[in-house]
Amino acid sequence: MKWYTFSINDIKQKLKTDESGLVKAERQNRLKQNGPNEMTQKEQAKLWQKIAKHFTDLLMLVLIGAALLKFATGEVVEGSIILLVVIVNGLVGYWQERKAEESLDGLKQMMGQEATALIESQPVNVASEELVQGDIVLLKAGDVVPADLRLIEVHDLTMEEAILTGESEPVEKTNAKIEGDALAGDQLNMAFSGTLVQTGTARGLVVETGDATEIGQINQALQSVQAQTTPLVKKMHQLNKQIFRGILALIVFLLFFTSFRYGMDWSLLFSASIALIVSMIPEGLPAVMTMILSMGVKEMAEENAIIKGMPTVETLGSMTVICSDKTGTLTKNEMTVTDVITEDSVMIKEIMNNCQELKTKNEQSIEEIQGNPTERALLTYISEEKMELKPILAKIPFSSSYKYMATLHETAKRHIIFVKGAPEVLLAKAQLTKEDNQAWQEQGLSLARKGQRVLGFAYKEVSSAELTHEDLNDLTFVGMAGIIDPPKESAIKAVAQAQQAGISVKMITGDHKATAQAISEQIGLKHTSKVLEGIDIDLLSDEELSTVVDKVDVFARTTPEHKLRIVTALQKKEEIVGMTGDGVNDAPALKQADVGIAMGIKGSEVSKQAADMVLADDNFYTIVNAVKEGRRIFDNLQKTINFFLPTALAQGLIVIVALLMNRPLPLTPIQILWVNMVTTITLSYALGFEKVSADAMNRSPRDTKAGILSGYNFFRIIYVSLLIMVPAYLLAMRFDGSALQQTILLQSIVLGQAVYMINCRELVDPAINRRFFENKLLFISLGILLVLQLTVIFLPLAQQFIGTTALTVGQQLVIMGNATLLFLVVEIEKRISKTIIQRKAKSASQCMND
């Protein structure tokens, strides 16, 4: 309801209350009827549900099924090993995610814990949750407003509403009714739940409680927003389905082919199917992905970007749009004097220094002073002048009703009045010709067009030691100053780098249109000629907003609902959206965005809890660094997947060939698991430590529609798996004895994976390059692999458990020769593929130019 449009008498009648407040019996009635002043919250997931979700991945379910089938056939050891792999992977995933916070916890803290209400004419302290519609609440400086109030009596009341509007400038309140529609930031006769009383006192009627308050509506919006599935999770689900379908198709084919061709017994086919499942499912991949993402979380934390969920690391690298709040994110959140127009710089500085209320002692430094941002800006501007304060004999405080402040001071001969305020008011009271007045107005208008708040300065020499409004005539107008919250230099640099990386940056602010447009031009946004205001967004349907949202980079006078609609509209256009913010008003949009980014220093608890990432330094440039890290992480994940899948397919092909040729299974499930786990423990982790590529921030974001594997990746998987499998299988079959054959096959596969891991360091560039020697973990992993393989081949206890036997030097040399051939073939293929890719890119570029 538009309570701000009601007169005080109309509201009292509507809420059936008067100046003495409600009686106790009526308060209890209303509390019972309408419920407490609290916000409802969504039921939280139980612990078992949080753990169980890490075991419901499609491939993990397949492995669980394989383990259970092993138990059913009495093969307890093999079944236990498979199950252990699943349990370890699931618990690691839960451990990494367990610290994820819920988005609503901080909202409770935003409401005042206790309030002073008039009950039967007596001020009584009551718990904030016991407030009801019609209560009269007393406010004083420092109070957190406990419910939405329609102000009925105010005394120099200013409110800090940054948590709702995102703007740091205090708002002076009134009790007069407001005509027409007004956004929350313009409802000057309202005090909203969770905002802070900065100065003055007031009385207000409780008009909304609980979910009906402004914060309560944000709470409802948060609960209605569904958590976004990250691009990485979507692509991994897609990859899992592809692997599952491939395995299922192969099993069905083998069952029918071998049964009709060779008449195999079902027990052998059953064992072969399980061996195929175990060999072709890269069960170590989730653990490696967890490690790479976890490492990315750690790296980003060191760069002041705190990540709350691991997949967010990769999503950062996929972002196509960053929607940013203005105040405190792109700007310094510190009002600054940027332009001063005067012909008497000494006098204007005297007025700035003395016509103010913040600084009361000469020895006070500006860093020690807190309070009105405008006065802080003026004092900061003259801080290096070391000017002496003049004692104040009399003062007229600033008020929005007359729009100026005046102070009276003593001089050597007479007294002097210093005045600051709205230029149009001071010009009307000044001794100026019509031409001079017009010239000053044009100067002020030029500053206002830059988005600056303009202050005028004047003085008057008097003989009297008294100060009244009537004395403020025939003033000498000195000049004016333009004040604005300027952009951070780091933000300007970050916006340029984001745009270079193909990421669009949009500003969404609660500030006025002129200010937003001026700041957007200074920071280098692209589409700044058109500014879409909240009232314009209200007139657009969701479909209409989707058509214009990518052509507008500046949105002003927005509400939480507007921000949410903008983010949603961008997502409908298949953009990967990052949203920054620091206020409660940003929380719904932060949660809706693919990556919600909150400010760690000046951000509210609600925004931090709704976000996926928190900037510990409140620096927009940190986001660009996080994007670069996200792109590095995805590149390394792709390298890891490119490494895993050919080796997994190679193992599966060995099982398939054995069945097609009606031969015994060449490797046991334990040996297959050993190959998978030993390479997971060593080789795959090394790829996660590869440095960021030189072109990471010079290329456009990845196509979100593209799968994690391209056509080239599938080609690589197939031919590399054949290069690993065929020579290894042919070599093993030259020898007699199952143990020797299995050992040669096992060693060939492991060594082939080792050299292919080196190939995977670069997709199409040479693997042996300058950065090859920067990745120290690569050499450590190869050393560990060597020790493990020597152990399993030559240590009797390991031989007995795994089923291997010792190899001669000659046999080892032949295996190494096969691995070297694999490495060389892949490197030659990469060189050819790079040439083809470059030619296609050049041809496409020429077609576009034509």
Side-chain angles (χ1 to χ4, degrees), residues 207-272:
V207 293
E208 300 290 1
T209 61
D211 289 335
T213 63
E214 286 290 317
I215 282 184
Q217 291 175 43
I218 292 173
N219 172 53
Q220 292 298 305
L222 274 173
Q223 295 199 42
S224 66
V225 173
Q226 298 297 317
Q228 300 299 305
T229 304
T230 68
L232 177 63
V233 172
K234 291 177 183 176
K235 289 171 183 175
M236 288 308 299
H237 286 166
Q238 180 185 1
L239 179 61
N240 288 347
K241 288 178 181 178
Q242 289 172 338
I243 294 173
F244 174 73
R245 289 168 184 162
I247 293 173
L248 188 61
L250 284 173
I251 289 174
V252 172
F253 167 74
L254 288 174
L255 288 177
F256 282 97
F257 179 84
T258 55
S259 295
F260 287 113
R261 180 75 182 270
Y262 302 114
M264 287 187 178
D265 62 86
W266 287 99
S267 62
L268 178 59
L269 287 173
F270 177 75
S271 297

Side-chain angles (χ1 to χ4, degrees), residues 463-532:
S463 56
S464 172
E466 295 182 357
L467 178 61
T468 65
H469 291 282
E470 287 71 27
D471 296 321
L472 303 182
N473 291 309
D474 298 326
L475 299 175
T476 300
F477 192 81
V478 178
M480 53 184 65
I483 301 174
I484 198 170
D485 180 13
K488 298 175 182 176
E489 292 181 5
S490 60
I492 296 173
K493 183 180 178 182
V495 167
Q497 287 199 9
Q499 292 171 342
Q500 182 180 341
I503 303 171
S504 173
V505 181
K506 298 182 183 296
M507 178 196 294
I508 308 177
T509 178
D511 211 340
H512 293 278
K513 177 179 179 178
T515 304
Q517 191 168 34
I519 293 295
S520 70
E521 291 173 353
Q522 291 178 43
I523 64 175
L525 298 190
K526 290 184 176 179
H527 305 109
T528 60
S529 59
K530 181 178 181 181
V531 178
L532 209 59

Side-chain angles (χ1 to χ4, degrees), residues 543-654:
E543 291 72 22
E544 291 170 333
L545 182 59
S546 291
T547 61
V548 301
V549 71
D550 56 344
K551 302 179 183 67
V552 178
D553 282 353
V554 188
F555 301 85
R557 303 306 284 166
T558 57
T559 65
E561 182 183 3
H562 295 142
K563 295 182 180 185
L564 185 60
R565 287 189 65 198
I566 291 167
V567 171
T568 305
L570 287 166
Q571 289 174 329
K572 283 183 179 178
K573 297 182 79 69
E574 298 184 341
E575 304 281 3
I576 303 297
V577 183
M579 170 75 195
T580 74
D582 55 9
V584 173
N585 59 322
D586 299 318
L590 288 173
K591 190 176 180 184
Q592 173 67 34
D594 298 282
V595 183
I597 307 165
M599 301 297 111
I601 298 174
K602 296 178 180 177
S604 67
E605 283 303 310
V606 179
S607 66
K608 293 175 190 176
Q609 292 167 5
D612 303 294
M613 181 173 85
V614 179
L615 302 183
D617 57 359
D618 284 14
N619 192 340
F620 189 83
Y621 193 76
T622 302
I623 301 173
V624 176
N625 287 334
V627 169
K628 182 189 289 187
E629 179 67 14
R631 293 189 176 187
R632 183 187 75 85
I633 291 299
F634 185 80
D635 287 346
N636 290 348
L637 285 172
Q638 273 201 318
K639 293 172 186 177
T640 302
I641 292 168
N642 280 332
F643 163 71
F644 260 107
L645 296 186
T647 54
L649 180 57
Q651 296 171 51
L653 288 175
I654 290 172

